[in-house]
Amino acid sequence: EERVDRQVAEKEASDESKRLAKQEAKHRWENDIQNSRAAQIQRKQMIRQRERGEDAETAQFLGEWCKVLDKQEQEEIEAKGLAARKLSQEHKKQVEIARQRHESGKRQEEHVSIHARKAIEADTVEFHQYAEVAIKNYASEGKNVIPLIKELREFRKRVLQ
């Protein structure tokens, strides 16, 4: 009976040690699972955090790049505006120069025309004086002055045209 008690006690001790070993293995297994889950969660959080950081960096980079592009576009617009203003000013200068040339040419033409008219009038006056003297001389000599007067009228008509 002692032997049976001992065997029962050994069996119970063996069962208890097996149970404790099994419980310890189960506990370690559960801890490993919990650690694995926690590590996986932490990895996913780190990945998400890194992705958010990359997204933030990308957004910042794109924001700065957009500012650079906006600045370049603004500079281009200003350069085009400046070029357009310069072109407009140059065009105005050219128009003014052309207008001045035209006016100068007109004045010069008017001056030449007036000078020529005065010369013609002076020549005409001189010619009329000469013609009067010639007609008086012809008349005093008793010659016919009518053809000379007709020629003088024809000459006046040609000069006035």
Side-chain angles (χ1 to χ4, degrees):
E1 206 171 288
E2 196 175 297
R3 196 175 108 197
V4 172
D5 283 338
R6 200 172 10 110
Q7 284 180 347
V8 169
E10 284 178 9
K11 177 70 172 151
E12 283 178 359
S14 170
D15 286 348
E16 183 62 23
S17 72
K18 285 181 184 177
R19 186 186 67 78
L20 288 175
K22 189 175 179 183
Q23 188 178 6
E24 181 64 29
K26 182 181 174 190
H27 185 63
R28 277 194 313 256
W29 180 68
E30 286 176 352
N31 280 340
D32 287 346
I33 290 174
Q34 286 299 327
N35 289 341
S36 175
R37 284 182 183 167
Q40 188 176 11
I41 289 171
Q42 188 176 9
R43 275 194 309 275
K44 285 185 180 182
Q45 285 177 344
M46 288 175 65
I47 289 171
R48 278 192 228 118
Q49 229 175 6
R50 188 177 64 240
E51 286 175 352
R52 278 190 220 124
E54 289 173 356
D55 288 348
E57 284 179 25
T58 303
Q60 182 181 2
F61 173 76
L62 289 176
E64 289 173 6
W65 184 244
C66 285
K67 288 177 185 177
V68 168
L69 291 177
D70 289 344
K71 184 179 178 184
Q72 286 177 348
E73 183 180 2
Q74 185 64 32
E75 288 172 356
E76 287 175 9
I77 289 170
E78 288 173 4
K80 285 179 184 178
L82 180 62
R85 285 190 296 276
K86 283 183 179 178
L87 182 63
S88 175
Q89 289 173 351
E90 187 62 31
H91 181 68
K92 286 179 183 178
K93 284 180 187 176
Q94 293 298 327
V95 167
E96 181 63 23
I97 289 169
R99 185 187 63 76
Q100 287 174 354
R101 281 185 191 155
H102 181 70
E103 286 180 5
S104 175
K106 251 184 169 179
R107 282 193 302 269
Q108 189 174 5
E109 193 176 299
E110 287 175 4
H111 178 70
V112 168
S113 175
I114 289 170
H115 187 67
R117 200 175 311 127
K118 285 181 181 178
I120 289 173
E121 287 174 2
D123 286 348
T124 304
V125 168
E126 188 179 327
F127 177 73
H128 280 289
Q129 289 172 351
Y130 165 76
E132 252 181 64
V133 170
I135 291 172
K136 283 181 185 177
N137 287 341
Y138 267 67
S140 66
E141 293 175 3
K143 295 182 181 177
N144 186 8
V145 291
I146 293 176
L148 288 175
I149 293 173
K150 282 184 180 180
E151 184 61 31
L152 187 58
R153 285 185 185 155
E154 288 297 318
F155 175 75
R156 267 194 198 157
K157 285 180 185 177
R158 283 193 305 258
V159 168
L160 292 177
Q161 289 178 348

